[in-house]
Amino acid sequence: MKKLTLLRHAKSDWLDRSLRDFDRPLNARGLRGARAMGLYAAEKGMVFDAVVASPAVRVTETIDHFETAYGHTLNPDWDRRIYLASSVTLIDVLRGVPDTAGHVLMVGHNPGLEDLVFDLVADDGSSPLRDVVEEKFPTAALAVMDIAIDRWSDLDNRSAKLVEVTRPRDLDPDLGPQDDD
């Protein structure tokens, strides 16, 4: 059995239109959201054996603030393929994770992360949490899946059970949707 946790980068700043998309930093709400999710992961006792992440600035800053609140160093494997990747590419990245990793944290972007949930979790009515993701997988949200495989190379569609979805607004209403969402 493997466990996969997805973390969407926190809310980014769109004020400086001269920046490339890759270089956009987090805004103030994003910083708070990343810290809230890191604290939540620590309180839940989440332990990650491997971390794979997009090297985009908003992801690196999300990890920095998540890690500070989480209280443990994450040492991500920065993988450019995750930046704006499709679900197919994300599955390919995960298939390359060493089998010694029982619990993987993947930090990246939508729509890829959301689509990954849809591809890995069957749409058969057995997971009300899938409906939560379908409604919206907002910035800084976490999705945790149990996957009935022994080797990451065996990861395939419909192989996961979604066991948890946590959004920043679930932890602090001030981190919920704003007029700019």
Side-chain angles (χ1 to χ4, degrees), residues 123-142:
D123 186 13
D124 60 5
S126 65
S127 177
L129 291 174
R130 191 178 190 281
D131 296 337
V132 172
V133 174
E134 202 163 312
E135 177 187 320
K136 185 170 184 179
F137 191 61
T139 52
L142 275 174

Side-chain angles (χ1 to χ4, degrees), residues 4 21 23 29 48 63 65 69-70 92 100 109 118 122 137 140 170 179:
L4 173 62
D21 179 73
D23 297 324
R29 193 174 91 200
F48 308 107
I63 290 173
H65 291 275
Y70 178 61
D92 191 47
T100 54
H109 312 266
F118 299 149
F137 191 61
D170 298 331
D179 292 337

Side-chain angles (χ1 to χ4, degrees), residues 10-145:
K11 187 77 176 156
S12 60
D13 191 341
W14 287 89
L15 292 179
D16 186 348
R17 298 288 182 185
S18 69
L19 291 176
R20 296 179 313 150
D21 179 73
F22 188 88
D23 297 324
R24 284 189 295 112
L26 297 182
N27 66 17
R29 193 174 91 200
L31 298 173
R32 290 190 323 270
R35 285 192 297 265
M37 298 313 283
L39 184 59
Y40 175 77
E43 289 171 353
K44 293 284 286 188
M46 293 183 182
V47 177
F48 308 107
D49 303 312
V51 179
V52 292
S54 162
V57 170
R58 59 192 178 272
V59 173
T60 63
E61 289 186 359
T62 296
I63 290 173
D64 287 345
H65 291 275
F66 178 97
E67 189 177 62
T68 298
Y70 178 61
H72 301 283
T73 303
L74 294 176
N75 297 317
D77 177 14
W78 304 107
D79 193 324
R80 179 92 182 189
R81 294 177 295 167
I82 297 171
Y83 174 66
L84 303 182
S86 69
S87 174
V88 171
T89 300
L90 296 176
I91 288 173
D92 191 47
V93 169
L94 289 165
R95 285 179 178 153
V97 170
D99 292 330
T100 54
H103 189 174
V104 173
L105 172 64
M106 176 178 269
V107 189
H109 312 266
N110 256 3
L113 292 181
E114 187 174 286
D115 290 342
L116 182 60
V117 171
F118 299 149
D119 286 345
L120 293 179
V121 178
D123 186 13
D124 60 5
S126 65
S127 177
L129 291 174
R130 191 178 190 281
D131 296 337
V132 172
V133 174
E134 202 163 312
E135 177 187 320
K136 185 170 184 179
F137 191 61
T139 52
L142 275 174
V144 182
M145 291 172 272

